[in-house]
Amino acid sequence: MTDPGERLRSSLAADQSSGPSYGLADFDSPIAMEALRATRVLHAADQEPFPAPGRIRVITIANQKGGVGKTTSTVNLGVALALYGLRTLVIDLDPQGNCSTALGVEHTVGTPSVYDALVGDSTLAEVVHPTTASPLLRCVPATIDLAGAEIELVSVVAREHRLRRAIEAHISALPPDERPHYVLIDCPPSLGLLTLNALVAGDEVLIPIQCEYYALEGLGQLLSNIDLVRAHLNPGIAVRTILLTMYDGRTKLADQVADEVRNHFGELVLQAVIPRNVRVSEAPGYGQSVLTYDPGSRGSTSYVEAARELAQRGVSMRPLDRPSAGVSAAPVATLSVSDPVMSDVATADAATTRESQ
């Protein structure tokens, strides 16, 4: 009888030479399959790395509905990208600091955080922290101080550009071989000034959508606001990725929602789907991602596949001509929008124009 350990090593070696296919057909036991999945995650450094993107990708992960997997996706996609060889910077822009918790980064009151970069004079280099998940993964944590940032930024000129300028200045100051391949921004579950900063800072938006009916409500408002930001503050922003989360294959509703999302958004939707998995929920309690907490779980496997697909899509992206730090947006006409958040955008943008003149 073949030694199980030898079977694992042989399958892993064959998989490395044949590509990303899992090669699980040879394993007739759920335990053996889970062991193989765990081996691949734990020994990610020995496998072929994910391809580097054609440009630095600044991805805003947004959805104003809470509980759809924004923070979970930010953490696990970031860890997967880093484990497979891509330098990744995660920016926690949610005052709850859940992203920082899941990455094991200190975020108590007084910890240098993204608040100091948005409201104070600190650079991102002064507030970035290493993580235990991977040497290639770094995090800018959020503290409870960030809850007051929207009020404190009201009187600041070009307040919606604060995060973008901080990211641009940080990247420009780094040597080329130390610049991140990916910058992931975790947004709060709202459409306030913090989310607006993230949309202005990003080049693309990733929207996690829970496979339940309520997740579709409010999606139109988010897309409309992204269109307004693109028209008046950040011409380069666009929704480029949709990730289906919390998929429960036992229900017809999950399939119906997934089909509806795929029919509407087409190729924007990743083929990888994140299932409901208790390990994904347990991992933050131990200050870990699901990839390090239980690398053999279905949740871990799904996030690795989603990250792989995300990385593969980035290969063909051309470099962007992002304006240098400190350059304000071009003048625009006054908006006539009833939404209070976007009306605030118009006011802030007009102030930016007057300041530049």
Side-chain angles (χ1 to χ4, degrees):
M1 183 174 181
T2 307
D3 176 57
E6 183 62 32
R7 293 172 64 197
L8 282 172
R9 289 189 290 272
S10 300
S11 178
L12 182 59
D15 185 55
Q16 290 174 350
S17 61
S18 61
S21 174
Y22 273 115
L24 298 176
D26 294 336
F27 291 84
D28 51 9
S29 163
I31 295 177
M33 289 192 293
E34 183 170 341
L36 177 59
R37 291 195 296 261
T39 300
R40 296 185 179 182
V41 176
L42 290 173
H43 298 280
D46 299 329
Q47 301 180 52
E48 183 177 352
F50 289 167
R55 65 169 188 249
I56 297 175
R57 298 180 68 181
V58 183
I59 302 177
T60 299
I61 300 177
N63 190 330
Q64 79 271 23
K65 186 181 185 303
V68 298
K70 289 188 300 298
T71 296
T72 300
S73 297
T74 303
V75 169
N76 290 295
L77 289 175
V79 171
L81 291 168
L83 287 177
Y84 281 83
L86 298 178
R87 294 184 296 274
T88 305
L89 174 65
V90 171
I91 299 178
D92 190 353
L93 211 59
D94 188 344
Q96 298 178 84
N98 293 336
C99 191
S100 308
T101 299
L103 290 175
V105 177
E106 183 67 37
H107 60 100
T108 55
V109 176
T111 302
S113 68
V114 69
Y115 170 85
D116 300 290
L118 287 176
V119 179
D121 297 324
S122 299
T123 64
L124 284 188
E126 295 171 332
V127 299
V128 70
H129 296 253
T131 67
T132 57
S134 169
L136 297 180
L137 179 64
R138 300 174 68 80
C139 174
V140 178
T143 64
I144 193 60
D145 295 332
L146 194 60
E150 293 193 357
I151 297 175
E152 296 181 56
L153 288 173
V154 166
S155 60
V156 177
V157 174
R159 55 187 177 266
E160 70 280 1
H161 291 271
R162 298 284 290 184
L163 182 60
R164 181 185 182 100
R165 293 177 178 177
I167 292 173
E168 289 172 347
H170 178 64
I171 292 176
S172 298
L174 291 172
D177 60 346
E178 295 182 13
R179 292 174 181 173
H181 295 104
Y182 283 83
V183 178
L184 306 181
I185 307 174
D186 181 35
C187 294
S190 68
L191 292 175
L193 192 54
L194 292 176
T195 298
L196 181 58
N197 258 271
L199 292 175
V200 173
D203 298 321
E204 52 186 294
V205 180
L206 185 154
I207 303 179
I209 297 181
Q210 183 182 8
C211 291
E212 293 184 3
Y213 172 76
Y214 286 137
L216 300 178
E217 291 191 339
L219 190 57
Q221 182 184 4
L222 173 63
L223 296 175
S224 297
N225 286 344
I226 292 173
D227 287 340
L228 285 170
V229 171
R230 179 169 59 250
H232 300 280
L233 292 172
N234 182 8
I237 193 70
V239 178
R240 300 192 186 277
T241 309
I242 304 291
L243 176 62
L244 295 171
T245 63
M246 303 181 187
Y247 175 82
D248 189 346
R250 299 170 299 178
T251 66
K252 289 185 178 180
L253 176 62
D255 285 329
Q256 291 172 351
V257 172
D259 290 342
E260 185 172 346
V261 171
R262 291 190 186 280
N263 290 335
H264 183 77
F265 290 103
E267 294 182 354
L268 294 180
V269 186
L270 295 179
Q271 291 301 312
V273 176
I274 310 303
R276 282 194 176 276
N277 183 248
V278 67
R279 297 302 192 190
V280 175
S281 302
E282 289 176 352
Y286 295 87
Q288 299 182 51
S289 69
V290 69
L291 280 80
T292 54
Y293 174 68
D294 189 354
S297 65
R298 291 190 304 125
S300 173
T301 300
S302 299
Y303 271 115
V304 169
E305 287 307 300
R308 187 192 308 275
E309 193 174 347
L310 186 68
Q312 290 171 344
R313 291 185 177 193
V315 174
S316 59
M317 288 187 170
R318 297 180 179 179
L320 290 177
D321 293 328
R322 291 171 63 93
S324 60
V327 178
S328 61
V332 296
T334 303
L335 289 175
S336 176
V337 184
S338 58
D339 184 81
V341 173
M342 301 316 295
S343 296
D344 183 68
V345 172
T347 303
D349 194 61
T352 303
T353 303
R354 290 195 298 270
E355 181 71 10
S356 63
Q357 294 173 345

